[in-house]
Structure formats: C-alpha cells, structure tokens
Amino acid sequence: MCGIVGYVGKGDAVPVLMNGLSKLEYRGYDSAGVAVYDDTSKNVNICKTKGRIQNLQDKLYLTPLKGRLGIGHTRWATHGEPSDINAHPHSSGKEKIAVVHNGIIENYMALKEELMDKGYKFLSETDTEIVAQLIDYYYSKDSNLMSAVFKVIERIEGSYALGIICSDFPDRIIAVRKDSPLVIGLGEEENFIASDMPAILNYTRNVYLVEDNEVALITKDNVKIFDNNGSEVKKEVFKVDWDIEAAEKSGYDHFMLKEIYEQPKVVKDNIASRLLDDGISLDKVKLDKDDISKIDRIYVVACGTAYYAGLVGRYLIERVVRRPVSAEVASEFRYKDPIIDEKTLVIVVSQSGETADTLAAMRLAQKAGARTLAVVNVVGSSIAREADDVIYTLAGPEIAVASTKAFTAQVVVMSLLALKLALELEKISIEKYRQIKTEMEKLPSLVNKILNKEPVIKRFMHKYIGSKNVFYIGRGLDYIVSMEGSLKLKEIAYLHSEPYAAGELKHGPISLIEESTLVVGVVTQEELFEKSVSNMRECKSRGAKVLAVAMDGNSEIRKYADDVFFIPRTHWMLTPILANIPQQIFAYHMALGLGNDVDKPRNLAKSVTVE
Ligand code: AGP
C-alpha cells in the first residue's frame, strides 16, 4: 500500500526521503518518487519511476536533486497501471505544486472533466493528479496556498493523506488527512511527515498524530494544525517508544523470520500485565457482568489473518462462555445489512488498524448503535482511535507482509477475552482459571521449544517442495489453524493450498487428492483425534503424502502420517497459539526454497487501505 514521507529543515532532503521510503517498502508498492525544491533554480523538481526504490536511487544518481524541502512516495497502483507517469509525486502543469497522496479520490473523474473544460491537461491516469491541478486552479486565483488547499478538500471525496509543496513557498509542507494515516515528526530545526512511523523513526520519536479532516502547515521550526474550519488545534506530543531496532531486521535474513522469532516475547508481553491471580485485566476495557448483561449479540469482524484470529475468539467464547458469536469477514459484513442495535458488541480485529473494510464495518456498527471493541496492534491507528474500547496486541511493528507475530498476539488476546467473559459470567471457576493461567504462563518457553526445531521443518520443506497442491485439514480449533496455515503458504510460497474441515473432505475435495498432493493434518484436539486421523488415512490411501502436527507424546499419529511435527503439550484452548507456529516456519522455508521474495510477496500489500 502507498507510503508518504516528507522533510523540511536545515539538512539535505533527498537522503531523508530515500531513507524514509526504504522503511516504507514493507507496505508493498510498485513505483516510487520524490519531489524536491531546488534553491538555485527555485523550482520543484520531480524524479519518479516504476519499480523498486533502487530504480529511483539509480535515476537520482544520474540526475541528482538537491534541496531542503521535499516529499516522497511509494505507490501501490489503484488508478492506472504501475508506470513512471502514474508514480507520485504528481504536479500541476509547470511542477509548481507537487503532491503525494495515499487513499482514493472517489469523485476524481468529475473533477478531472471540470478542470479539462477549464483547459487543464493531465498526464497520468491517477486520481491524485487532480488534487495537484485543483490546488493550482484555486491558487491561481489569489496566490493563497493554504486557502486553495482548504477549497480543494471541500471538493474532493474519498480517503486521503496528502503531502503538498509549492515552489512559491520553499519553507513549508502542507499535509492533510482524511481516512488515511498521517503523522508529523518533530525534530530540531527540521520536521517530517509520514504515513507511518518507521519512515521517520531514524530522526525523531516525537510526533503529532494528525486526525481526520485536519490540515497541517509544517516549516522547519514550527508546526500548526488546523481543523476543517481553519481553527488552530492544539496537540499533545506523542512519544514513540518502539526501539528503532524493532523496525529493522536485527540480523535475520528476513523480517518474517525475525517476527516469527519474536513470538515468545510477544506472548509474554500480552499476558504479563493481564493475567492476574484473581482474574484478567484487559487494559482499560470494562467488561464486567453488568456490561455483558447489556449485550445480546456479539460479532467478530476482520479480514484475512486477523479474521482467523477472530474465528479462534468466536470458538472459545462459544465453547467456554456459551454465548453465541458470529464471525464475519469485514467486506461481507458491511454489505449484508447486519442486525445491529445498542445491545450489540462488535469486536474488530486488525493488525494495522487501517484496513479499509474493517474500519468501515466498525463505523457502520457504531452508527447503528453497537458498542465496538478493537483488538489492534498499531497504536494511534484509525481503528484504535475510533473504537469505543481498545485492547492492543503489543506485537510491535510487523513489517513482513505475511502476518505472524500479530496473529499470535491476536489469538492470545482473543483467548484472554474469552477467559475474561467466562470468569465474569461464572462459566469457569477461579481454580480452573488459575490452572489455565499457569499453562498460559508457560507459553513463551513452549514457543521457544518450537522455534528450536526450525531445522526439522526445513527438512520437511526439502521433502515436500515439489508438491503441486496442498490441503490443510483439521477439526475444531485445528481447522482454524489450518486456514491460517494455508493462507500463509498461498501468500508467500504461491502454492495452491486449501484448508478444509477434515470432515468435509469426503463431500467433494477428496476427488482432488492424488500422488503429488500434500496433506497437512493438524491434530491437537485429542477428543477429535480418531475422527481426524480417519480423514488423514483416506488421503494417504489415495496416494497423498501426509504431514501431521500433533501434541508431544502422541505416538499413535505416526501410523497415519509420513512425517509428524510435535508441539509441546498445553491446555486445549491454547493449542492454536502453538500449532500455528510450525505452519509459519514451513511456509517461510517453502517460499525461500521456491526463490520467492518472502517479505514482499507479489501482488500483496501489508495494509489494505482500499476496499
Ligand atoms: C496476513 O498475512 C495478510 N497479509 C492479511 O490477510 C491481513 O491479515 C489482512 O489484510 C488484515 O490486515 P489487518 O490485520 O491489518 O487488518
């Protein structure tokens, strides 16, 4: 997804912009560019190109840009193909005004026609170019840049974070935000803008979080932020406490591997202050018996991996708390006219807190009167700020596109939530809770034990890398782990894989089982063991190879599988946290073995901020 960085200060803008863009690479992009004000020629000069940031670096080597004011962008195409022309920044006719934009201008076609009627010419197919041209149009009337920007935001519809510079004002960046993240970094005689923190963490930890419909005027010594009526807004400085190392690879070959190995700490962080001896404390979320009694319908809404974490939550709440819960993919939930009222609780799960469908689903629920509870990783993200309650997943920045540690953190939080509800409604005793608490506290070291067996999984990769189709099967919680395992393999290994409820195989998909098929059977739910292994046997007898994930000490499984990965024993509720980790490592090694770009898989973006 697109990324923005901007610089105004005493230093050279280009190295800061390029550094920032490199930190935004993980968001997924197909082109990149910078616009820099040149003190000598008094022009805004643009350099942009399709492809990787290295291509931009090469281009800048041939035609260097120099200046102390600039904006940069990584683009993930939405309007018009990835190309040099469609790359950002976009400018008004004579490159007087340059704009970078994240989001989508929904009414750009009508505005484009209007401007074309006035004689404006367009070079690109993008929606963003109309923003630059429209600012130019209003600016040409009274040479008041700020007022031109305000007029433009009255005209444009959709979502946008904008960075704007103009050759008539070489001391400033104007930044605007609506439904797309934007922060302002505060430095000494220099200030920054960015669509997300890693882009500026090398330079500052002090930021202003720009809210929807705010416009900021940023010079090297000053930042002023206005609401959409033009009144100045006073902001608190937000201190970013991430370790800069946390946003970098720390010696691992890939962000994904680093993030996989961070999971013991992530689990520990998520339980540390929450698992109390006499119950569970979920940050500032108040969910006592009285609150819960006001709720008669619960939805869990999310996308992708976060949705699978939501499914674990649903399963546990239903099974342990005995309250019905619907889990819905956000892009479906939004359009089905869901039954929502003041007695509805909508739990949204999102790593980024910016996923367009999840955010829209949450807003829809709020509008209909629901109470919303967000399980979010990115502090200060839109979902985190707009939800009625937030539980942070404390996973730190997740850079690899394929989610690993964020999923684990989400599952831990959903398990805590289920336990909290169960305790409040007296569905489990405090003694039972304490037993589960003891098991939870062991999880970080159990995750470590799995990580220590990475070489075993690497051997499986060598054995199964030639598989043409992969089925992931399981029952109950194991089925949910299968869904996430299968998604991971698709995302980064680009292998066709299907998750199936093991009992469903016979109802159709078994016809696809043949000798080149790999079946990954997850069998941690011992009450379902006999049923699951009988499905594995059916696959094996049709020529498939079977790789099982089972609990330590289950020697019986060897009869049904070609290979087994054993995970340490734990309470049945907690098995998804452990059983998912070998799936992550397997997908990682399969992707590497197939020569894929693990951290930036094709066609995918880290944060899906378009519908
Ligand atoms: C996970 O590996 C995927 N990249 C994707 O499914 C992701 O989980 C989904 O887009 C939801 O993102 P969110 O958690 O940031 O809302």
Side-chain angles (χ1 to χ4, degrees), residues 222-262:
N222 204 357
V223 175
K224 285 190 173 186
I225 300 175
F226 304 94
D227 65 17
N228 52 357
N229 299 316
S231 309
E232 197 172 341
V233 182
K234 285 283 161 224
K235 293 255 170 201
E236 298 268 310
V237 176
F238 180 85
K239 276 219 171 286
V240 182
D241 58 5
W242 296 346
D243 184 350
I244 184 75
E245 275 290 288
E248 308 214 332
K249 278 192 227 160
S250 310
Y252 286 94
D253 288 343
H254 299 93
F255 281 115
M256 183 179 175
L257 193 62
K258 171 179 172 262
E259 287 158 9
I260 287 172
Y261 274 84
E262 283 171 352

mmCIF file of all heavy atoms in Angstrom, residues 222-262:
data_model
loop_
_atom_site.group_PDB
_atom_site.id
_atom_site.type_symbol
_atom_site.label_atom_id
_atom_site.label_comp_id
_atom_site.label_asym_id
_atom_site.label_seq_id
_atom_site.Cartn_x
_atom_site.Cartn_y
_atom_site.Cartn_z
ATOM 1 N N ASN A 222 8.403 25.071 13.007
ATOM 2 C CA ASN A 222 7.055 25.252 13.526
ATOM 3 C C ASN A 222 6.069 24.288 12.863
ATOM 4 O O ASN A 222 6.208 23.968 11.679
ATOM 5 C CB ASN A 222 6.627 26.696 13.201
ATOM 6 C CG ASN A 222 5.553 27.171 14.146
ATOM 7 O OD1 ASN A 222 5.087 26.410 14.994
ATOM 8 N ND2 ASN A 222 5.144 28.408 13.999
ATOM 9 N N VAL A 223 5.097 23.850 13.660
ATOM 10 C CA VAL A 223 4.013 23.041 13.093
ATOM 11 C C VAL A 223 2.696 23.622 13.579
ATOM 12 O O VAL A 223 2.506 23.788 14.791
ATOM 13 C CB VAL A 223 4.111 21.564 13.552
ATOM 14 C CG1 VAL A 223 2.913 20.769 13.056
ATOM 15 C CG2 VAL A 223 5.406 20.925 13.078
ATOM 16 N N LYS A 224 1.821 23.956 12.646
ATOM 17 C CA LYS A 224 0.481 24.417 13.031
ATOM 18 C C LYS A 224 -0.529 23.471 12.420
ATOM 19 O O LYS A 224 -0.422 23.129 11.234
ATOM 20 C CB LYS A 224 0.242 25.832 12.495
ATOM 21 C CG LYS A 224 0.978 26.890 13.280
ATOM 22 C CD LYS A 224 0.525 28.267 12.869
ATOM 23 C CE LYS A 224 1.179 29.263 13.834
ATOM 24 N NZ LYS A 224 0.760 30.588 13.670
ATOM 25 N N ILE A 225 -1.488 23.083 13.249
ATOM 26 C CA ILE A 225 -2.501 22.150 12.748
ATOM 27 C C ILE A 225 -3.874 22.817 12.885
ATOM 28 O O ILE A 225 -4.178 23.434 13.914
ATOM 29 C CB ILE A 225 -2.452 20.815 13.517
ATOM 30 C CG1 ILE A 225 -1.056 20.196 13.332
ATOM 31 C CG2 ILE A 225 -3.520 19.847 13.034
ATOM 32 C CD1 ILE A 225 -0.796 18.946 14.116
ATOM 33 N N PHE A 226 -4.675 22.701 11.831
ATOM 34 C CA PHE A 226 -5.981 23.355 11.797
ATOM 35 C C PHE A 226 -7.071 22.317 11.576
ATOM 36 O O PHE A 226 -6.846 21.305 10.894
ATOM 37 C CB PHE A 226 -6.035 24.366 10.649
ATOM 38 C CG PHE A 226 -4.926 25.390 10.708
ATOM 39 C CD1 PHE A 226 -3.737 25.176 10.007
ATOM 40 C CD2 PHE A 226 -5.048 26.544 11.466
ATOM 41 C CE1 PHE A 226 -2.707 26.090 10.063
ATOM 42 C CE2 PHE A 226 -4.017 27.477 11.528
ATOM 43 C CZ PHE A 226 -2.837 27.251 10.826
ATOM 44 N N ASP A 227 -8.254 22.588 12.124
ATOM 45 C CA ASP A 227 -9.388 21.733 11.792
ATOM 46 C C ASP A 227 -9.986 22.228 10.476
ATOM 47 O O ASP A 227 -9.498 23.200 9.883
ATOM 48 C CB ASP A 227 -10.413 21.674 12.936
ATOM 49 C CG ASP A 227 -11.078 23.023 13.195
ATOM 50 O OD1 ASP A 227 -10.997 23.920 12.319
ATOM 51 O OD2 ASP A 227 -11.680 23.179 14.269
ATOM 52 N N ASN A 228 -11.066 21.568 10.028
ATOM 53 C CA ASN A 228 -11.544 21.938 8.693
ATOM 54 C C ASN A 228 -12.262 23.286 8.652
ATOM 55 O O ASN A 228 -12.603 23.774 7.584
ATOM 56 C CB ASN A 228 -12.378 20.822 8.040
ATOM 57 C CG ASN A 228 -13.476 20.351 8.931
ATOM 58 O OD1 ASN A 228 -13.586 20.813 10.067
ATOM 59 N ND2 ASN A 228 -14.285 19.429 8.443
ATOM 60 N N ASN A 229 -12.430 23.925 9.837
ATOM 61 C CA ASN A 229 -12.955 25.302 9.825
ATOM 62 C C ASN A 229 -11.819 26.313 9.836
ATOM 63 O O ASN A 229 -12.063 27.525 9.898
ATOM 64 C CB ASN A 229 -13.822 25.556 11.062
ATOM 65 C CG ASN A 229 -14.998 24.624 11.091
ATOM 66 O OD1 ASN A 229 -15.642 24.428 10.069
ATOM 67 N ND2 ASN A 229 -15.271 24.031 12.241
ATOM 68 N N GLY A 230 -10.607 25.825 9.864
ATOM 69 C CA GLY A 230 -9.469 26.742 9.875
ATOM 70 C C GLY A 230 -9.051 27.165 11.267
ATOM 71 O O GLY A 230 -8.140 27.985 11.431
ATOM 72 N N SER A 231 -9.668 26.598 12.305
ATOM 73 C CA SER A 231 -9.256 26.950 13.672
ATOM 74 C C SER A 231 -8.056 26.099 14.064
ATOM 75 O O SER A 231 -8.022 24.888 13.776
ATOM 76 C CB SER A 231 -10.372 26.665 14.674
ATOM 77 O OG SER A 231 -11.547 27.262 14.230
ATOM 78 N N GLU A 232 -7.125 26.732 14.760
ATOM 79 C CA GLU A 232 -5.920 26.000 15.138
ATOM 80 C C GLU A 232 -6.235 24.959 16.219
ATOM 81 O O GLU A 232 -7.019 25.220 17.134
ATOM 82 C CB GLU A 232 -4.833 26.964 15.620
ATOM 83 C CG GLU A 232 -3.494 26.278 15.619
ATOM 84 C CD GLU A 232 -2.322 27.208 15.890
ATOM 85 O OE1 GLU A 232 -2.464 28.435 15.734
ATOM 86 O OE2 GLU A 232 -1.262 26.678 16.273
ATOM 87 N N VAL A 233 -5.619 23.791 16.086
ATOM 88 C CA VAL A 233 -5.847 22.704 17.039
ATOM 89 C C VAL A 233 -4.560 22.506 17.831
ATOM 90 O O VAL A 233 -3.479 22.456 17.252
ATOM 91 C CB VAL A 233 -6.140 21.387 16.261
ATOM 92 C CG1 VAL A 233 -6.431 20.248 17.224
ATOM 93 C CG2 VAL A 233 -7.257 21.568 15.261
ATOM 94 N N LYS A 234 -4.696 22.408 19.133
ATOM 95 C CA LYS A 234 -3.503 22.158 19.960
ATOM 96 C C LYS A 234 -3.347 20.658 20.156
ATOM 97 O O LYS A 234 -4.317 19.961 20.463
ATOM 98 C CB LYS A 234 -3.637 22.852 21.327
ATOM 99 C CG LYS A 234 -3.431 24.354 21.225
ATOM 100 C CD LYS A 234 -1.946 24.717 21.087
ATOM 101 C CE LYS A 234 -1.760 26.127 20.519
ATOM 102 N NZ LYS A 234 -0.750 26.282 19.487
ATOM 103 N N LYS A 235 -2.142 20.156 19.987
ATOM 104 C CA LYS A 235 -1.916 18.705 20.062
ATOM 105 C C LYS A 235 -0.923 18.369 21.159
ATOM 106 O O LYS A 235 -0.002 19.133 21.420
ATOM 107 C CB LYS A 235 -1.270 18.217 18.765
ATOM 108 C CG LYS A 235 -2.141 18.310 17.568
ATOM 109 C CD LYS A 235 -2.637 16.936 17.187
ATOM 110 C CE LYS A 235 -3.705 17.065 16.139
ATOM 111 N NZ LYS A 235 -4.547 15.910 16.053
ATOM 112 N N GLU A 236 -1.098 17.206 21.713
ATOM 113 C CA GLU A 236 -0.099 16.651 22.621
ATOM 114 C C GLU A 236 0.964 15.965 21.769
ATOM 115 O O GLU A 236 0.633 15.329 20.767
ATOM 116 C CB GLU A 236 -0.726 15.546 23.474
ATOM 117 C CG GLU A 236 -1.840 15.993 24.368
ATOM 118 C CD GLU A 236 -1.340 16.383 25.736
ATOM 119 O OE1 GLU A 236 -0.593 15.595 26.318
ATOM 120 O OE2 GLU A 236 -1.704 17.492 26.195
ATOM 121 N N VAL A 237 2.203 16.051 22.202
ATOM 122 C CA VAL A 237 3.252 15.295 21.506
ATOM 123 C C VAL A 237 3.125 13.832 21.913
ATOM 124 O O VAL A 237 3.001 13.508 23.092
ATOM 125 C CB VAL A 237 4.649 15.827 21.870
ATOM 126 C CG1 VAL A 237 5.740 14.973 21.234
ATOM 127 C CG2 VAL A 237 4.788 17.280 21.438
ATOM 128 N N PHE A 238 3.101 12.947 20.917
ATOM 129 C CA PHE A 238 3.019 11.508 21.170
ATOM 130 C C PHE A 238 4.438 10.948 21.075
ATOM 131 O O PHE A 238 5.138 11.176 20.092
ATOM 132 C CB PHE A 238 2.104 10.876 20.119
ATOM 133 C CG PHE A 238 1.919 9.395 20.240
ATOM 134 C CD1 PHE A 238 0.961 8.876 21.099
ATOM 135 C CD2 PHE A 238 2.683 8.512 19.490
ATOM 136 C CE1 PHE A 238 0.779 7.504 21.208
ATOM 137 C CE2 PHE A 238 2.506 7.143 19.590
ATOM 138 C CZ PHE A 238 1.546 6.646 20.452
ATOM 139 N N LYS A 239 4.851 10.246 22.128
ATOM 140 C CA LYS A 239 6.223 9.704 22.146
ATOM 141 C C LYS A 239 6.208 8.271 21.643
ATOM 142 O O LYS A 239 5.517 7.418 22.206
ATOM 143 C CB LYS A 239 6.769 9.705 23.578
ATOM 144 C CG LYS A 239 7.361 11.019 23.984
ATOM 145 C CD LYS A 239 8.628 10.806 24.840
ATOM 146 C CE LYS A 239 9.378 12.094 25.079
ATOM 147 N NZ LYS A 239 10.109 12.603 23.959
ATOM 148 N N VAL A 240 6.952 8.004 20.589
ATOM 149 C CA VAL A 240 7.009 6.642 20.065
ATOM 150 C C VAL A 240 8.035 5.877 20.894
ATOM 151 O O VAL A 240 9.205 6.273 20.928
ATOM 152 C CB VAL A 240 7.435 6.640 18.577
ATOM 153 C CG1 VAL A 240 7.437 5.235 18.016
ATOM 154 C CG2 VAL A 240 6.532 7.550 17.772
ATOM 155 N N ASP A 241 7.590 4.787 21.548
ATOM 156 C CA ASP A 241 8.555 4.096 22.403
ATOM 157 C C ASP A 241 9.076 2.814 21.781
ATOM 158 O O ASP A 241 9.682 1.995 22.433
ATOM 159 C CB ASP A 241 7.980 3.854 23.805
ATOM 160 C CG ASP A 241 6.711 3.048 23.759
ATOM 161 O OD1 ASP A 241 6.346 2.596 22.650
ATOM 162 O OD2 ASP A 241 6.067 2.866 24.802
ATOM 163 N N TRP A 242 8.818 2.622 20.476
ATOM 164 C CA TRP A 242 9.406 1.456 19.821
ATOM 165 C C TRP A 242 10.901 1.642 19.762
ATOM 166 O O TRP A 242 11.405 2.727 19.488
ATOM 167 C CB TRP A 242 8.958 1.338 18.375
ATOM 168 C CG TRP A 242 7.526 1.107 18.153
ATOM 169 C CD1 TRP A 242 6.595 0.727 19.076
ATOM 170 C CD2 TRP A 242 6.849 1.244 16.910
ATOM 171 N NE1 TRP A 242 5.380 0.622 18.464
ATOM 172 C CE2 TRP A 242 5.507 0.927 17.134
ATOM 173 C CE3 TRP A 242 7.244 1.590 15.634
ATOM 174 C CZ2 TRP A 242 4.560 0.942 16.139
ATOM 175 C CZ3 TRP A 242 6.303 1.611 14.637
ATOM 176 C CH2 TRP A 242 4.971 1.291 14.891
ATOM 177 N N ASP A 243 11.581 0.557 19.971
ATOM 178 C CA ASP A 243 13.004 0.533 19.738
ATOM 179 C C ASP A 243 13.209 0.604 18.218
ATOM 180 O O ASP A 243 12.535 -0.100 17.476
ATOM 181 C CB ASP A 243 13.536 -0.800 20.301
ATOM 182 C CG ASP A 243 15.027 -0.897 20.205
ATOM 183 O OD1 ASP A 243 15.626 -0.044 19.550
ATOM 184 O OD2 ASP A 243 15.563 -1.844 20.785
ATOM 185 N N ILE A 244 14.139 1.433 17.776
ATOM 186 C CA ILE A 244 14.389 1.547 16.331
ATOM 187 C C ILE A 244 14.737 0.177 15.748
ATOM 188 O O ILE A 244 14.341 -0.185 14.645
ATOM 189 C CB ILE A 244 15.497 2.594 16.014
ATOM 190 C CG1 ILE A 244 15.688 2.799 14.513
ATOM 191 C CG2 ILE A 244 16.831 2.219 16.635
ATOM 192 C CD1 ILE A 244 14.619 3.582 13.869
ATOM 193 N N GLU A 245 15.453 -0.633 16.577
ATOM 194 C CA GLU A 245 15.808 -1.990 16.156
ATOM 195 C C GLU A 245 14.559 -2.812 15.823
ATOM 196 O O GLU A 245 14.589 -3.673 14.960
ATOM 197 C CB GLU A 245 16.553 -2.710 17.286
ATOM 198 C CG GLU A 245 18.021 -2.437 17.319
ATOM 199 C CD GLU A 245 18.726 -3.090 16.151
ATOM 200 O OE1 GLU A 245 18.836 -4.323 16.166
ATOM 201 O OE2 GLU A 245 19.132 -2.370 15.227
ATOM 202 N N ALA A 246 13.486 -2.498 16.569
ATOM 203 C CA ALA A 246 12.263 -3.280 16.383
ATOM 204 C C ALA A 246 11.702 -3.112 14.987
ATOM 205 O O ALA A 246 10.941 -3.942 14.516
ATOM 206 C CB ALA A 246 11.227 -2.888 17.422
ATOM 207 N N ALA A 247 12.058 -2.018 14.330
ATOM 208 C CA ALA A 247 11.554 -1.812 12.971
ATOM 209 C C ALA A 247 12.578 -2.257 11.929
ATOM 210 O O ALA A 247 12.435 -2.020 10.761
ATOM 211 C CB ALA A 247 11.191 -0.349 12.774
ATOM 212 N N GLU A 248 13.619 -2.921 12.365
ATOM 213 C CA GLU A 248 14.619 -3.380 11.400
ATOM 214 C C GLU A 248 14.859 -4.879 11.565
ATOM 215 O O GLU A 248 14.308 -5.506 12.447
ATOM 216 C CB GLU A 248 15.892 -2.580 11.587
ATOM 217 C CG GLU A 248 15.583 -1.092 11.564
ATOM 218 C CD GLU A 248 16.668 -0.261 10.941
ATOM 219 O OE1 GLU A 248 17.818 -0.671 10.992
ATOM 220 O OE2 GLU A 248 16.324 0.796 10.399
ATOM 221 N N LYS A 249 15.718 -5.452 10.747
ATOM 222 C CA LYS A 249 15.811 -6.918 10.705
ATOM 223 C C LYS A 249 16.660 -7.560 11.802
ATOM 224 O O LYS A 249 16.608 -8.770 11.987
ATOM 225 C CB LYS A 249 16.368 -7.341 9.350
ATOM 226 C CG LYS A 249 15.308 -7.376 8.278
ATOM 227 C CD LYS A 249 15.833 -8.070 7.050
ATOM 228 C CE LYS A 249 15.514 -7.264 5.819
ATOM 229 N NZ LYS A 249 16.327 -7.566 4.675
ATOM 230 N N SER A 250 17.471 -6.790 12.461
ATOM 231 C CA SER A 250 18.314 -7.304 13.562
ATOM 232 C C SER A 250 19.063 -8.582 13.202
ATOM 233 O O SER A 250 19.082 -9.531 14.001
ATOM 234 C CB SER A 250 17.474 -7.600 14.798
ATOM 235 O OG SER A 250 16.667 -6.553 15.132
ATOM 236 N N GLY A 251 19.641 -8.625 12.055
ATOM 237 C CA GLY A 251 20.484 -9.769 11.705
ATOM 238 C C GLY A 251 19.760 -10.956 11.088
ATOM 239 O O GLY A 251 20.390 -11.869 10.567
ATOM 240 N N TYR A 252 18.442 -10.982 11.142
ATOM 241 C CA TYR A 252 17.718 -12.079 10.485
ATOM 242 C C TYR A 252 17.712 -11.843 8.978
ATOM 243 O O TYR A 252 17.795 -10.701 8.518
ATOM 244 C CB TYR A 252 16.273 -12.146 10.987
ATOM 245 C CG TYR A 252 16.165 -12.700 12.379
ATOM 246 C CD1 TYR A 252 16.129 -11.856 13.479
ATOM 247 C CD2 TYR A 252 16.111 -14.074 12.601
ATOM 248 C CE1 TYR A 252 16.044 -12.359 14.768
ATOM 249 C CE2 TYR A 252 16.019 -14.579 13.891
ATOM 250 C CZ TYR A 252 15.993 -13.722 14.960
ATOM 251 O OH TYR A 252 15.915 -14.234 16.229
ATOM 252 N N ASP A 253 17.580 -12.912 8.217
ATOM 253 C CA ASP A 253 17.571 -12.767 6.761
ATOM 254 C C ASP A 253 16.335 -12.009 6.278
ATOM 255 O O ASP A 253 16.361 -11.353 5.251
ATOM 256 C CB ASP A 253 17.604 -14.142 6.078
ATOM 257 C CG ASP A 253 18.971 -14.782 6.230
ATOM 258 O OD1 ASP A 253 19.924 -14.044 6.558
ATOM 259 O OD2 ASP A 253 19.075 -16.007 6.049
ATOM 260 N N HIS A 254 15.260 -12.189 6.991
ATOM 261 C CA HIS A 254 14.003 -11.554 6.570
ATOM 262 C C HIS A 254 13.244 -11.042 7.785
ATOM 263 O O HIS A 254 13.357 -11.607 8.874
ATOM 264 C CB HIS A 254 13.105 -12.564 5.831
ATOM 265 C CG HIS A 254 13.738 -13.094 4.595
ATOM 266 N ND1 HIS A 254 14.461 -14.253 4.586
ATOM 267 C CD2 HIS A 254 13.778 -12.592 3.332
ATOM 268 C CE1 HIS A 254 14.922 -14.457 3.364
ATOM 269 N NE2 HIS A 254 14.532 -13.469 2.586
ATOM 270 N N PHE A 255 12.439 -10.031 7.542
ATOM 271 C CA PHE A 255 11.566 -9.535 8.612
ATOM 272 C C PHE A 255 10.651 -10.655 9.098
ATOM 273 O O PHE A 255 10.389 -10.781 10.292
ATOM 274 C CB PHE A 255 10.711 -8.366 8.121
ATOM 275 C CG PHE A 255 11.451 -7.057 8.088
ATOM 276 C CD1 PHE A 255 11.693 -6.414 6.888
ATOM 277 C CD2 PHE A 255 11.901 -6.471 9.255
ATOM 278 C CE1 PHE A 255 12.376 -5.206 6.866
ATOM 279 C CE2 PHE A 255 12.581 -5.266 9.239
ATOM 280 C CZ PHE A 255 12.820 -4.629 8.034
ATOM 281 N N MET A 256 10.185 -11.468 8.159
ATOM 282 C CA MET A 256 9.236 -12.512 8.571
ATOM 283 C C MET A 256 9.882 -13.452 9.591
ATOM 284 O O MET A 256 9.263 -13.794 10.607
ATOM 285 C CB MET A 256 8.743 -13.297 7.361
ATOM 286 C CG MET A 256 7.698 -14.331 7.732
ATOM 287 S SD MET A 256 7.100 -15.219 6.316
ATOM 288 C CE MET A 256 6.039 -16.427 7.109
ATOM 289 N N LEU A 257 11.139 -13.836 9.321
ATOM 290 C CA LEU A 257 11.804 -14.752 10.245
ATOM 291 C C LEU A 257 12.031 -14.070 11.599
ATOM 292 O O LEU A 257 11.814 -14.658 12.657
ATOM 293 C CB LEU A 257 13.138 -15.217 9.651
ATOM 294 C CG LEU A 257 13.774 -16.401 10.369
ATOM 295 C CD1 LEU A 257 12.877 -17.634 10.303
ATOM 296 C CD2 LEU A 257 15.143 -16.734 9.791
ATOM 297 N N LYS A 258 12.440 -12.823 11.528
ATOM 298 C CA LYS A 258 12.659 -12.081 12.778
ATOM 299 C C LYS A 258 11.348 -12.027 13.580
ATOM 300 O O LYS A 258 11.330 -12.256 14.795
ATOM 301 C CB LYS A 258 13.117 -10.663 12.437
ATOM 302 C CG LYS A 258 13.172 -9.744 13.630
ATOM 303 C CD LYS A 258 13.652 -8.358 13.215
ATOM 304 C CE LYS A 258 13.543 -7.375 14.343
ATOM 305 N NZ LYS A 258 12.352 -6.554 14.283
ATOM 306 N N GLU A 259 10.279 -11.777 12.882
ATOM 307 C CA GLU A 259 8.990 -11.646 13.570
ATOM 308 C C GLU A 259 8.516 -12.988 14.131
ATOM 309 O O GLU A 259 7.921 -13.047 15.217
ATOM 310 C CB GLU A 259 7.980 -10.999 12.618
ATOM 311 C CG GLU A 259 8.311 -9.514 12.461
ATOM 312 C CD GLU A 259 7.781 -8.842 11.212
ATOM 313 O OE1 GLU A 259 6.981 -9.455 10.489
ATOM 314 O OE2 GLU A 259 8.188 -7.683 10.954
ATOM 315 N N ILE A 260 8.826 -14.067 13.403
ATOM 316 C CA ILE A 260 8.494 -15.408 13.922
ATOM 317 C C ILE A 260 9.241 -15.630 15.246
ATOM 318 O O ILE A 260 8.683 -16.116 16.225
ATOM 319 C CB ILE A 260 8.852 -16.493 12.877
ATOM 320 C CG1 ILE A 260 7.854 -16.452 11.709
ATOM 321 C CG2 ILE A 260 8.895 -17.875 13.506
ATOM 322 C CD1 ILE A 260 8.227 -17.343 10.525
ATOM 323 N N TYR A 261 10.526 -15.229 15.248
ATOM 324 C CA TYR A 261 11.347 -15.449 16.437
ATOM 325 C C TYR A 261 11.035 -14.475 17.575
ATOM 326 O O TYR A 261 11.483 -14.682 18.708
ATOM 327 C CB TYR A 261 12.841 -15.410 16.071
ATOM 328 C CG TYR A 261 13.306 -16.780 15.618
ATOM 329 C CD1 TYR A 261 13.125 -17.187 14.307
ATOM 330 C CD2 TYR A 261 13.868 -17.672 16.516
ATOM 331 C CE1 TYR A 261 13.512 -18.450 13.892
ATOM 332 C CE2 TYR A 261 14.257 -18.938 16.117
ATOM 333 C CZ TYR A 261 14.077 -19.328 14.798
ATOM 334 O OH TYR A 261 14.449 -20.583 14.417
ATOM 335 N N GLU A 262 10.290 -13.443 17.294
ATOM 336 C CA GLU A 262 9.896 -12.511 18.369
ATOM 337 C C GLU A 262 8.695 -13.027 19.166
ATOM 338 O O GLU A 262 8.286 -12.408 20.155
ATOM 339 C CB GLU A 262 9.538 -11.143 17.770
ATOM 340 C CG GLU A 262 10.759 -10.331 17.381
ATOM 341 C CD GLU A 262 10.397 -9.074 16.589
ATOM 342 O OE1 GLU A 262 9.220 -8.911 16.209
ATOM 343 O OE2 GLU A 262 11.287 -8.278 16.348
#
